[in-house]
Amino acid sequence: MNQLTDNDIRRIRSILGCGWQATAEEKSKDALSIIYSLNKDDCINLVESLYKEFRASFDLQASNPSGSGHQSEVMQAERSNFTACQMVLDSLRK
């Protein structure tokens, strides 16, 4: 298994944090295609960190409702991001 490089981290973050363009299922599948060739423990730590970041962003939006339609879209994107992270973690922990 290969160690995580900065490029790997950027790619995984970019895939899992792209709430506007893909479903959680698509993002988790794309991230896993990269992750399977890398050190599993390092990837779990990275994805756990991303999950916390994306979840905190969602919680911030949810705790400060503006009534804006745009805010709803942002929340959906953030939910997709942390959901994809959870799906990746579930797969890695099997």
Side-chain angles (χ1 to χ4, degrees):
M1 292 285 159
N2 297 325
Q3 296 298 315
L4 274 174
T5 65
D6 288 341
N7 188 49
D8 294 326
I9 292 169
R10 280 191 296 275
R11 287 176 60 204
I12 293 166
R13 186 182 202 301
S14 175
I15 291 168
L16 293 175
C18 182
W20 303 107
Q21 298 176 353
T23 65
E25 293 81 8
E26 292 169 324
K27 288 189 284 189
S28 64
K29 179 182 171 188
D30 290 346
L32 285 168
S33 70
I34 297 168
I35 288 171
Y36 282 135
S37 66
L38 301 170
N39 181 285
K40 183 178 178 178
D41 291 334
D42 290 344
C43 289
I44 287 173
N45 290 335
L46 170 62
V47 177
E48 284 176 341
S49 174
L50 292 173
Y51 175 88
K52 290 175 186 174
E53 177 185 336
F54 299 148
R55 182 62 198 233
S57 181
F58 172 82
D59 290 344
L60 179 63
Q61 291 289 331
S63 67
N64 296 299
S66 69
S68 163
H70 177 70
Q71 184 182 33
S72 175
E73 292 172 359
V74 169
M75 289 175 62
Q76 288 174 342
E78 293 292 348
R79 178 177 288 132
S80 173
N81 293 347
F82 74 77
T83 299
C85 289
Q86 187 61 58
M87 294 170 81
V88 169
L89 289 170
D90 291 346
S91 290
L92 291 174
R93 290 178 175 147
K94 286 183 181 178

